[in-house]
């Protein structure tokens, strides 16, 4: 919602800025009215428009590279009882309270204005000169009342009040944007220009009408919901426009200049991140979690790796409440489609999965060592177009990259990480494994003793599993540290900060040379025990 409001109001600012710079001084008043009302509508529709062909053009693929998983580290800690005893309700961001409060205040003010106007419409008052929808109120005892009546009839016939009411509603929900208030004034001023022009055709009429505007001074109150003949803040501009020469037809070209602005917004709306969970082209947190969980659990099955098999798996799935229905649309064999479905049915994946009908493409590719003749991909099968199933949304493509090896079937299971890291050697192909100073037990102990909780994590009594990935560089430092599964409340950042401060490792070696090695590290947090300790369990 917040993203939608920001984008819509940015569009409104840009559209209105264009009006003030290029159009506000032109005498094409009816066109200006259409433009002002139009941008007040389009600005809130454009962020919802997402053209499929543009989405596909901007759609990216997420690459997952094979890596090995370290043993899980369990961290136990006694929680702060005072913090845990506090109310643990859902924390609503402050901006939501502020926004809703502003909307309620604006709605209340609008209601008060409507009540006052209703009461005023029921009586005749000195100096009346206004209209509301089809109702016209003019004090006939005042000088020039006939001309004023003509003026207000134009407002009534063209239903200018509907424009005003719509913009008032826009102000209610976008009260924080000052441009909305300028837009409201510009629209009402344009209404006056239209009515002034309609009843004054000759130069003599215009001069006499200008004298009428200057000669009458009303001290009566007016309503922002009505079209007032004598709105004193508009008098100067109305007289200037009344006596101004008509704009040349060539000035109409200025309206064409708004087309590139409109197209640019349309492209941005189609390529940008959506505000809906179901649209995973948007990289919001839930979408990111879904892709990471799927990619970090899918295995490139050993038989496929040994045979050098590469290909595409397309799975259509539908999530209804807590049930998942899947069907295979395309596969290259080796039961890789079953592997993708296995992952999609995992509880943590189901939790982050978008609701509704979706189509997921997973591309399996192999990467070989330098000099290996199988690196030649000239004979690889061309990609097939992703099917378009009626009612199904096409999700972002995942790419699973495995390391081709004839011995793959003899190696333990591997895991995957969300990254585009290059030249990270498969853990199972090393001659010498990387090692932490003092060994892996020392590493687990170091993790348990140095992990730091944020106050918020303590307050929430966070429990669960973090999943991180990192690369041990050739010099033994840790790099490319990422959180693949986060518990929130600062736990992921705490784990990153911890690994950044790790002592240097002894790097892994292959063929006598130091190489980069990619790892995953599960960290189990139990915020309940009296004393911190570390224990390890095998990562699945």
């Amino acid at each position: 919602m917040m993203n939608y409001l920001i984008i819509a109001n940015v569009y409104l600012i840009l559209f209105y800025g264009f009006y003030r710079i290029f159009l506000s001084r032109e005498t094409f008043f009816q066109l200006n009215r259409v433009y002002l009302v139009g941008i007040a509508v389009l600005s809130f529709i454009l962020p919802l428009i997402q053209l499929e062909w543009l989405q596909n053009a901007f759609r990216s693929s997420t690459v997952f590279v094979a890596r090995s998983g370290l043993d899980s580290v369990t961290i136990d800690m006694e929680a702060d009882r005072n913090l845990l005893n506090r109310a643990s309700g859902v924390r609503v961001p402050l901006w939501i309270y502020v926004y809703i409060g502003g909307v309620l205040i604006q709605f209340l003010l609008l209601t008060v204005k409507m009540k006052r106007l209703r009461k005023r419409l029921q009586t005749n008052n000195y100096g009346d000169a206004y209209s509301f929808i089809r109702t016209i109120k003019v004090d006939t005892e005042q000088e020039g009342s006939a001309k004023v009546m003509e003026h207000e009839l134009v407002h009534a016939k063209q239903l200018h009040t509907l424009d005003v009411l719509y913009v008032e509603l826009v102000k209610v929900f976008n009260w924080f944007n000052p441009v909305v208030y300028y837009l409201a004034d510009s629209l009402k001023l344009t209404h006056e220009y239209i009515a002034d022009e309609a009843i004054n055709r000759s130069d003599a009429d215009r001069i006499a009408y200008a004298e009428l505007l200057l000669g009458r001074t009303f001290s009566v109150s007016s309503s922002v919901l009505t079209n007032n003949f004598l709105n004193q803040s508009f008098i100067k501009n109305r007289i200037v426009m009344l006596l101004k020469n008509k704009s040349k037809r060539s000035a109409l070209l200025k309206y064409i200049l708004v087309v590139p602005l409109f197209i640019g917004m349309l492209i941005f709306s189609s390529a940008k991140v959506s505000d809906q969970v179901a649209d995973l082209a948007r990289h919001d947190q839930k979408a990111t979690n879904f892709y990471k969980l799927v990619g970090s659990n899918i295995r490139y099955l050993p038989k496929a790796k040994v045979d050098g098999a590469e290909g595409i798996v397309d799975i259509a799935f539908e999530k209804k409440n807590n049930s998942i229905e899947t069907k295979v649309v395309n596969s290259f064999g080796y039961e890789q489609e079953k592997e993708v479905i296995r992952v999609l049915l995992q509880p943590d994946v189901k939790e982050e999965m978008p609701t509704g009908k979706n189509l997921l493409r997973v591309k399996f590719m192999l990467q070989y060592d330098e000099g290996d003749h199988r690196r030649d991909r000239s004979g690889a099968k061309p990609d097939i177009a992703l099917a378009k199933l009626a009612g199904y949304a096409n999700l972002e493509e995942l790419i699973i990259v495995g390391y081709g090896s004839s011995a793959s079937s003899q190696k333990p299971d591997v895991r995957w990480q969300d990254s585009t890291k290059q030249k990270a050697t498969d853990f199972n192909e090393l001659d010498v494994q990387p090692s932490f100073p003092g060994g892996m037990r020392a590493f687990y102990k170091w993790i348990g003793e140095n992990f730091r909780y944020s106050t918020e994590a303590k307050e929430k009594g966070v429990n669960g599993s973090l999943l991180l990935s990192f690369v041990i560089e050739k010099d033994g430092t840790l790099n490319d540290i990422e959180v693949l599964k986060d518990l929130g409340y600062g736990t992921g950042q705490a784990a990153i900060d911890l690994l950044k401060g790790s002592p240097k490792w002894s790097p892994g070696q292959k063929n006598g040379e130091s190489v980069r090695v990619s790892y995953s590290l599960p960290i189990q947090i139990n915020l309940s025990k009296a004393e911190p300790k570390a224990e390890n369990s095998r990562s699945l």
Side-chain angles (χ1 to χ4, degrees), residues 437-462:
M440 295 310 296
R441 287 184 177 273
F443 177 63
Y444 298 139
K445 183 179 180 182
W446 179 80
I447 291 285
E449 292 176 347
N450 292 278
F451 188 89
R452 295 290 178 264
Y453 294 86
S454 66
T455 301
E456 195 171 13
K458 293 179 181 179
E459 178 182 354
K460 294 295 181 180
V462 174

Side-chain angles (χ1 to χ4, degrees), residues 121-137:
L121 288 172
Q122 294 173 349
T123 60
N124 294 321
N125 300 288
Y126 172 79
D128 278 346
Y130 66 90
S131 60
F132 181 78
I133 308 180
R134 297 290 190 182
T135 301
I136 298 175
K137 288 285 185 176

